[in-house]
Structures are given as C-alpha cells and as structure tokens.
Amino acid sequence: MLSVHNIHQYYGGSHILRDVSLTARAGEVTVVLGRNGVGKTTLLKSLMGLVPIKSGSIALEGREIQRATPYQRAHAGIGFVPQGREIFARLTVEENLRMGLATKPGGTPVPPQLYELFPVLRQMLHRRGGDLSGGQQQQLAIARALAAGPRLLVLDEPTEGIQPNIIKDIGRVLRRLADTGLEGVSTGPMAVLLVEQYYDFAEELADQYLVMERGEVVARGPGSEMREKGVRQLVAI
C-alpha cells in the first residue's frame, strides 16, 4: 500500500530524517517506535506532505506522491490522525465528522459505521468537540480520518494522554480495520501505520515494527519478534 524509499528531510541545517525506508501493507499494522525527538512525527508529516522531503520517494499503491499536496494525498486514500488530535473545538461532533468528508461530493452522509466503531460519538453528536474528554476527542479524530474511507490510516501517538479503557477500545478498532477494513466505507483490509510511545500497546498490535534513533531506522522486523529482539529496551527512556 505504502512504500517509502530512502527519504531525507531537513529543518534548516539539521538533518532530521536520514535514509528512511519502510513499507506498510494492507491487512497489517506497521508500528514505528522510538524515543522523543528521533523524527517519528516528522516522518508522518513528510508522508502527508506537511513538510517537504529533500530526496527519496513515497509511493501509494505504486504511484509516487512525494510531490503531491496534502489534499491530494488525502484524496488518494490516506487518512491522518495527528498528534494532539487537532479536532475543531468549536464545531460539533457531527460537524467535525463532516470535515472528514471534504474530499467527497457535497451532501455525502457521515458513514453510520463510524458510530458502530465509536458509539459514544452518536450519543454526543451535537456536543462541541472542545467539550469532549481527551479519549472522546481521540475517538472523534480517528472517526474523522475514517469518514472518507481511506486505504491507509496513519496515526501519531493515539494513546497519548488517554485513559486505559479507551486505549483498549482504540486497539480493537485498529485491529479490525487492518483485518477487515470498514464495511461499506473502505474497500477491503486497510494498511495501518502507527507511531507510538506506549510499548505494550504497540507490541500487541504490531504485524511489523521499526525502531528509529536520530532520524534513522535502526531495527525492524515482524511484530512477533519484538520481545525476543529486546525492542522494549531499545525505546526505553
């Protein structure tokens, strides 16, 4: 689904991403781990076109998109859940979800399947986003990214500041999306690319993992090998 080859990215004179390559496949959760400041969020912003890359290539389903705008990448089938959620605090839950339909024709309804994934959103449909708890806002941010039926879902630390019961709910949703997609919204299993600091959550979900240090990928492999490879120690603060 997503193929990233040898990308480099700079902020001013600082070399932030160094020869990063990765693949995210449909039907799998690919987890990127690493300590604070190693370039994980910059990697996702580069994938979304929010910051430019200096060199390398980014391809979605075989089509290079490194020169595409963020809007074009969203239209091509990438859903993005940014760090900190970034919902619209003054808009209602329903209005936030409609923002996720910006790439669709006017009048496209909010997919009811989103309320099956996150029942609390139906209960709070007319409440302003800023009045929700942090966990509810995170569920709203994920639902908004899913509204247009992406084939690749990219999430930046969705467990940050979230209560444990909602973390479990989010984990179940991500596993379902990777395994089967969202019936009636997506076409088959999704590729999920997850940047995460919470190791146990990452290990439970990962089909594939990568570890970053100083802007480079220093370890990678199947999620089933994370424990024996000592990945927890690699990312411990």
Side-chain angles (χ1 to χ4, degrees), residues 28-121:
E28 293 186 352
V29 178
T30 301
V31 175
V32 181
L33 302 108
R35 299 180 180 93
N36 285 329
V38 300
K40 305 186 303 297
T41 292
T42 299
L43 170 62
L44 298 194
K45 287 183 175 180
S46 296
L47 299 182
M48 289 306 303
L50 298 172
V51 297
I53 60 173
K54 182 73 171 179
S55 61
S57 66
I58 303 169
L60 184 68
E61 294 185 302
R63 176 188 169 196
E64 291 195 1
I65 59 170
Q66 65 268 13
R67 293 182 179 84
T69 64
Y71 175 85
Q72 289 168 332
R73 297 183 202 205
H75 196 274
I78 304 178
F80 182 45
V81 183
Q83 187 177 25
R85 302 179 281 275
E86 296 188 13
I87 63 159
F88 297 95
R90 293 181 175 274
L91 299 184
T92 67
V93 166
E94 183 177 20
E95 289 167 340
N96 268 277
L97 293 174
R98 290 192 179 281
M99 293 299 291
L101 296 169
T103 62
K104 298 294 184 181
T108 300
V110 174
Q113 295 89 336
L114 300 179
Y115 304 124
E116 297 171 15
L117 289 183
F118 302 112
V120 70
L121 299 183

Side-chain angles (χ1 to χ4, degrees), residues 6 19 39 46 57 75 82 89 98 111 129 157 175 182 204 223 228:
N6 310 113
D19 202 33
S46 296
S57 66
H75 196 274
R98 290 192 179 281
E157 297 195 22
R175 185 74 266 164
L182 189 54
E204 182 178 345
E228 66 181 87

Side-chain angles (χ1 to χ4, degrees), residues 181-204:
L182 189 54
E183 185 178 353
V185 180
S186 64
T187 54
M190 286 186 193
V192 177
L193 180 62
L194 170 67
V195 158
E196 189 50 67
Q197 288 257 40
Y198 180 18
Y199 176 83
D200 291 338
F201 180 77
E203 183 187 60
E204 182 178 345

